[in-house]
Amino acid sequence: QVQLVESGGGLVQPGGSLRLSCAASGSIFSIYLMGWYRQAPGKQRELVATISRGGSSYYGDSVKGRFTISRDNAKNTVYLQMNSLKPEDTAVYYCTTDTLNSAAKPMTYWGQGTQVTVSS
C-alpha cells in the first residue's frame, strides 16, 4: 500500500503564490508518474499537472505559465509551485501517483486533498 500526504494549502490573495507538497510512502517499488488534480465547488475534477520519473511535465491549459511541477525522486515527493493565483484557482487539490509494485503491477493512489482558497 502507498500513502500520499499533501501539505501547503491555505488562503492567499489574488496574484499571490503557494507551494504544495506531496510525499509518498509505503510499499513502493517504482513511481513512474506523479501529479495534481483539483476540484472546485460545483465543478468536475480537472488535471492540473503531471511529472514523470525522468522529469517530463504536462500542464493543463488553465495553469500553463503560472504553475510549475517538480519532484524529488529520492524523497518520493512532488511539488506544485503556484504563482499569479486567481480566484478561479480555488479548489481542493489532490495529489496522485502511478506506481509499479514489486510484481510490476500498475497501481494508482490518491491523497486526501488540500484546500487552496484565492480571495481578497
Side-chain angles (χ1 to χ4, degrees):
Q1 298 182 14
V2 173
Q3 296 80 43
L4 299 174
V5 179
E6 299 134 320
S7 62
L11 175 65
V12 65
Q13 294 186 1
S17 298
L18 285 173
R19 189 192 192 211
L20 305 183
S21 300
C22 174
S25 62
S27 183
I28 301 172
F29 181 76
S30 179
I31 295 176
Y32 59 88
L33 192 72
M34 298 189 77
W36 296 90
Y37 283 74
R38 68 186 183 185
Q39 188 165 25
K43 303 292 185 180
Q44 297 273 43
R45 183 177 294 186
E46 66 173 338
L47 177 65
V48 176
T50 63
I51 187 166
S52 70
R53 179 76 178 181
S56 298
S57 60
Y58 168 86
Y59 297 92
D61 289 340
S62 63
V63 306
K64 287 180 180 177
R66 300 188 297 120
F67 292 10
T68 302
I69 190 169
S70 61
R71 67 188 295 173
D72 185 334
N73 290 334
K75 297 180 178 180
N76 290 326
T77 299
V78 64
Y79 307 93
L80 186 68
Q81 179 66 47
M82 304 184 293
N83 299 326
S84 302
L85 284 162
K86 305 174 181 179
E88 52 262 42
D89 295 318
T90 296
V92 177
Y93 285 70
Y94 297 92
C95 178
T96 186
T97 183
D98 292 337
T99 75
L100 297 178
N101 66 13
S102 60
K105 181 180 180 180
M107 302 290 289
T108 300
Y109 299 92
W110 293 86
Q112 295 300 307
T114 185
Q115 177 71 47
V116 172
T117 302
V118 184
S119 176
S120 60

